[in-house]
Amino acid sequence: MTSTFTTTDGAEIFFKDWGTGRPVVFSHGWPLSADAWDEQARLVAENGFRAIAHDRRGHGRSSQTWDGNTMDRYADDLAELIETLDLHDAVLVGHSTGGGEVARYLSRHGSARVAKAVLLGAVPPVMVESDTNPDGTPMEVFDTIRSGVATDRSQFYWDLSETFYGFNRPGVPTSEGARRAFWRLGMQAGIRAAYECIAQFSETDFTEDLKRIDIPVLVAHGDDDQIVPLHDSAVKSAELIMNSTLRVYPGAPHGLYGEFRTAFEADLLEFLNS
């Protein structure tokens, strides 16, 4: 089933709702949509869970809002989805920017309706380099992303898909289909939302959010992630979350593909059933 709901500030949010059982709610990465989780949503729905995945505002089939493209509002939209569907004992799964959305939700709205969470290739604690985060990614990198989105986002997304999946590494087979799918989902995002989200995923500091999380969290990350480097994200996040398990995938990129996807899906099902 697919449907929409309207948020308190008037945005229409698209979501998929497949299967029955304990709810597993997926939050996608930038600049994608719920479709990026299709394989994992089908997997959990076929294994006795209820899979729910929404398009973040401004992305996919949700409203291309001019305002509200902030991490707080993303978390509030997630909260309104969970409340609209009256979900309880849920498991939240967030990839990349979606991992930040999950962390902000748990800090901002608490864990009364949530039992566990998964942060996959997630952006917390904070990506950008600063005096307090000297290991971070230089601001110039994010300025280049902004320039790419603003000037020729079609070509930019196509180029980004290569490093997203690690296809630029020697000996790694390239899937043109995966790259075309990434490009297609990226082009469905409104340019305003895509542009403004860059600051949200790169400059938001989730340190205090992570410290407030009081449920078990699986922190999963590839050690060859060229988009969100492992040691400035997952390693630090796992240290800040009081009840976390860190799972590092050797040689794995940012995007779920190939052996990385297979290994993560096995870990996801194990975590859901634990």
Side-chain angles (χ1 to χ4, degrees):
M1 180 184 75
T2 62
S3 189
T4 61
F5 77 96
T6 303
T7 65
T8 51
D9 71 340
E12 189 173 83
I13 302 297
F14 171 93
F15 66 93
K16 304 178 184 186
D17 189 350
W18 298 346
T20 58
R22 186 183 200 178
V24 182
V25 184
F26 294 92
S27 291
H28 64 79
W30 177 93
L32 307 175
S33 72
D35 290 2
W37 282 118
D38 271 359
E39 290 81 7
Q40 292 72 43
R42 180 185 63 84
L43 176 72
V44 302
E46 290 179 349
N47 279 274
F49 296 91
R50 179 182 177 186
I52 299 161
H54 69 292
D55 290 354
R56 185 172 299 115
R57 63 170 58 214
H59 297 66
R61 291 138 294 198
S62 292
S63 297
Q64 292 195 11
T65 55
W66 186 255
D67 297 314
N69 302 303
T70 69
M71 194 58 65
D72 283 352
R73 186 64 245 189
Y74 299 158
D76 292 349
D77 289 347
L78 177 58
E80 291 189 32
L81 170 64
I82 291 170
E83 291 158 9
T84 296
L85 298 178
D86 194 25
L87 304 181
H88 296 273
D89 197 33
V91 181
L92 304 185
V93 184
H95 176 242
S96 197
T97 301
E101 179 178 290
V102 167
R104 181 55 53 89
Y105 167 88
L106 290 169
S107 173
R108 194 168 168 86
H109 296 278
S111 58
R113 292 175 176 266
V114 182
K116 299 179 182 179
V118 179
L119 303 181
L120 171 65
V123 297
V126 59
M127 288 193 71
V128 72
E129 179 185 48
S130 66
D131 292 340
T132 57
N133 187 39
D135 298 326
T137 302
M139 180 62 81
E140 290 78 10
V141 172
F142 302 111
D143 287 340
T144 298
I145 296 173
R146 271 183 277 269
S147 177
V149 171
T151 56
D152 186 354
R153 71 187 193 279
S154 180
Q155 185 63 50
F156 176 78
Y157 291 152
W158 177 252
D159 294 341
L160 179 62
S161 68
E162 184 177 43
T163 51
F164 187 90
Y165 291 111
F167 294 149
N168 59 327
R169 295 307 196 202
V172 175
T174 296
S175 168
E176 184 172 342
R179 295 189 66 185
R180 286 178 178 271
F182 179 96
W183 176 88
R184 176 179 62 85
L185 298 185
M187 289 302 293
Q188 290 174 348
I191 189 169
R192 165 82 168 184
Y195 186 90
E196 292 205 330
C197 189
I198 297 165
Q200 299 305 308
F201 71 65
S202 63
E203 299 176 45
T204 302
D205 189 341
F206 298 96
T207 301
E208 296 304 316
D209 302 281
L210 297 174
K211 291 178 181 178
R212 295 189 187 103
I213 296 176
D214 59 358
I215 56 174
V217 179
L218 173 63
V219 181
H221 216 102
D223 74 356
D224 192 32
D225 189 326
Q226 299 171 70
I227 307 298
V228 182
L230 168 69
H231 291 289
D232 195 45
S233 54
V235 172
K236 293 181 178 179
S237 291
E239 293 173 350
L240 291 165
I241 298 168
M242 66 180 74
N243 186 2
S244 67
T245 300
L246 177 62
R247 175 74 163 92
V248 177
Y249 301 84
H254 188 61
L256 274 180
Y257 185 77
E259 294 180 0
F260 179 28
R261 172 186 159 186
T262 301
F264 171 74
E265 288 177 348
D267 289 339
L268 175 61
L269 285 179
E270 181 180 356
F271 185 67
L272 293 176
N273 286 303
S274 65

